[in-house]
């Protein structure tokens, strides 16, 4: 970072003259979208930050070289001769990474930034939702010359989303704490602008940090102590700590003793399923099933909280930016 003003612009930057044929993907969300569109054969290099590359079939992994770092430099990608870079984090276009998107465009390399990724550290944040995933997939399909396929794929996703809404209406509303990554003084968790917040709302959940104006951000432990106790934990499975370690560290925090963490049910999902990407649809169905299986005495949110399971569009209300340190 800091890049330029285009760092925070979602969607395509660069002239759309011909369909993209040689694609570099950064993070799991873009790779999952290429796979959903049947275009993973166009990926010429990728990283494996969230484990997206690792889940591909072995024959596909053998064909797609891994980038040498999470945020590659321009020199790292030039040998792959890409005509498009699709990124799931705006830091990919920082001064210490690929450089500005305008400079890439001048080289004939188009760039596409997912909506949720564009919100990180942005001057103004409007929440990302599962519709962001759908809309970005449709636009990406056009960029790849696969518009019809994108329409078919996203129509199926909409059908599955509607099916979840129908059954999630029976779920009572519950408060959720999204446990992404704990550390000594604070914890990385989801705020009101994250796709995972929208997923949770659709199945009856409301993150206890949904009032925070970020996608993901670090929250001091003592600030959590002043809020309401969650009824459910959603644990992101990734990174240097496994799920058991994360839960142990959560239980050990003296600031949130009142949460009685050991009594809270935990739902576990890989991070790649809850950040924006094609896996969001599977994640939504998994959450709907997991929340339906919770006992009804897991505690209910006050009835003034908006019920979930409905197809809720973002309000469009702007919120102030917040610094968001890089995910470990």
């Amino acid at each position: 970072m800091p890049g330029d003003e285009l760092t925070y612009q979602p969607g395509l930057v660069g002239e759309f003259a011909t369909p993209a044929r040689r694609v570099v993907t950064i993070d799991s969300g873009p790779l999952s979208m290429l796979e959903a569109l049947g275009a993973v054969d166009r990926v010429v290099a990728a990283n494996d930050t969230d484990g997206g590359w690792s889940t591909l079939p072995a024959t596909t992994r053998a064909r797609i070289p891994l980038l040498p770092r999470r945020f590659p430099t321009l020199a790292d990608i030039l040998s792959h001769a890409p005509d498009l870079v699709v990124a799931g984090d705006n830091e990919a276009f920082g001064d210490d990474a690929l450089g500005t998107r305008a400079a890439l465009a001048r080289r004939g390399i188009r760039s596409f930034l997912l909506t949720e990724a564009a919100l990180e550290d942005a001057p103004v944040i409007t929440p990302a939702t599962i519709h962001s995933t759908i809309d970005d997939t449709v636009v990406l399909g056009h960029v790849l010359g696969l518009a019809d396929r994108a329409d078919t794929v996203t129509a199926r996703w909409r059908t599955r989303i509607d099916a979840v809404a129908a059954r999630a209406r029976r779920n009572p509303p519950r408060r959720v704490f999204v446990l992404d990554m704990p550390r000594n003084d604070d914890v990385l968790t989801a705020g009101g602008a994250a796709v995972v917040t929208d997923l949770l709302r659709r199945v009856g959940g409301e993150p206890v940090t949904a009032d925070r104006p970020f996608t993901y951000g670090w929250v001091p432990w003592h600030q959590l102590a002043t809020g309401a106790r969650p009824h459910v934990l959603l644990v992101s499975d990734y990174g240097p700590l496994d799920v058991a370690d994360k839960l142990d560290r959560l239980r050990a925090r003296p600031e949130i003793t009142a949460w009685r963490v050991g009594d809270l049910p935990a739902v576990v999902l890989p991070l790649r399923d809850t950040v924006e990407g094609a896996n969001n649809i599977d994640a939504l169905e998994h959450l709907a099933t997991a929340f339906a299986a919770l006992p009804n005495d897991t505690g209910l949110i006050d009835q003034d909280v908006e019920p979930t399971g409905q197809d809720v569009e973002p309000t469009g209300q702007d919120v102030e930016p917040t610094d968001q340190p890089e995910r470990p």
Side-chain angles (χ1 to χ4, degrees), residues 160-175:
R160 293 167 63 186
I161 292 168
D162 289 344
V164 167
R167 61 189 175 110
R169 290 189 183 98
R170 298 188 292 270
N171 290 352
R174 296 182 173 96
R175 288 187 295 268

Side-chain angles (χ1 to χ4, degrees), residues 8 118-125 319-321:
Y8 308 110
L119 301 181
E120 295 183 10
D121 301 321
V124 174
I125 294 177
V319 293
E320 294 300 316

Side-chain angles (χ1 to χ4, degrees), residues 111-122:
S111 59
F112 191 99
L113 182 64
L114 302 190
T115 297
E116 184 179 44
L119 301 181
E120 295 183 10
D121 301 321

Side-chain angles (χ1 to χ4, degrees), residues 93-157:
F93 305 112
D95 294 340
D96 296 330
L98 293 175
T100 68
R101 300 174 74 184
L104 288 173
R106 288 193 293 271
R107 288 179 170 269
I109 303 173
R110 292 163 283 185
S111 59
F112 191 99
L113 182 64
L114 302 190
T115 297
E116 184 179 44
L119 301 181
E120 295 183 10
D121 301 321
V124 174
I125 294 177
T126 298
T129 70
I130 201 167
H131 289 292
S132 306
T133 304
I134 291 173
D135 293 344
D136 283 349
T137 301
V138 169
V139 177
L140 190 56
H142 282 268
V143 175
L144 296 167
L146 300 172
D148 289 346
R149 189 175 300 174
D151 288 343
T152 299
V153 168
T154 55
R156 291 172 182 159
W157 288 351

Side-chain angles (χ1 to χ4, degrees), residues 35-106:
E35 188 177 16
L37 291 169
V40 75
D41 59 325
R42 301 192 196 185
V43 179
V44 296
N47 69 7
D48 196 33
T49 301
D50 306 329
W53 179 89
S54 298
T55 63
L56 294 172
T59 53
T60 304
R61 294 198 307 271
R63 191 190 54 77
I64 301 175
L66 272 179
L67 294 164
R69 63 200 101 235
R70 179 182 180 186
F71 298 123
T73 64
L74 183 60
D76 291 332
I77 71 167
L78 286 180
S79 62
H80 302 290
D83 56 10
L84 175 67
V85 173
V86 188
D89 193 310
N90 60 25
E91 290 196 41
F93 305 112
D95 294 340
D96 296 330
L98 293 175
T100 68
R101 300 174 74 184
L104 288 173
R106 288 193 293 271

Side-chain angles (χ1 to χ4, degrees), residues 154-328:
T154 55
R156 291 172 182 159
W157 288 351
R158 291 179 190 278
T159 299
R160 293 167 63 186
I161 292 168
D162 289 344
V164 167
R167 61 189 175 110
R169 290 189 183 98
R170 298 188 292 270
N171 290 352
R174 296 182 173 96
R175 288 187 295 268
V176 184
F177 180 64
V178 179
L179 176 58
D180 186 295
M181 184 63 63
R183 54 186 192 186
N184 288 338
D185 298 322
D186 48 18
V187 58
L188 190 63
T189 189
V195 168
V196 69
T197 295
D198 181 57
L199 300 181
L200 286 167
R201 285 173 172 164
R202 291 173 183 276
V203 300
E206 179 70 10
V208 296
T209 50
D211 61 331
R212 306 299 176 106
F214 50 60
T215 51
Y216 288 83
W218 296 98
V219 176
W221 292 108
H222 68 85
Q223 291 185 10
L224 293 176
T226 63
R229 177 180 184 254
H231 306 118
V232 188
L233 303 174
L234 174 60
V235 188
S236 295
D237 187 6
Y238 84 103
L241 301 177
D242 63 22
V243 170
D245 287 335
K246 291 180 181 182
L247 290 172
D248 284 345
R249 294 189 183 210
L250 191 67
R251 294 186 193 100
R253 296 308 309 184
E255 301 91 340
I256 54 172
T257 302
W259 281 16
R260 303 188 303 281
V261 172
D263 296 334
L264 296 177
V267 178
V268 179
L269 278 173
L271 177 67
R272 62 180 175 271
D273 290 359
T274 54
V275 294
E276 185 188 342
N279 293 341
N280 292 159
I281 316 303
D282 291 339
L284 180 65
E285 292 173 335
H286 179 90
L287 288 170
T289 299
F291 272 58
L294 292 173
N296 285 334
D297 60 355
T298 309
L300 305 181
I301 299 178
D302 295 336
Q303 292 305 307
D304 59 349
V305 173
E306 185 71 21
T308 55
Q310 306 297 319
D311 196 12
V312 180
E313 295 287 353
T315 63
Q317 181 180 2
D318 294 333
V319 293
E320 294 300 316
T322 184
D323 291 335
Q324 295 179 70
E326 181 182 338
R327 180 177 265 112

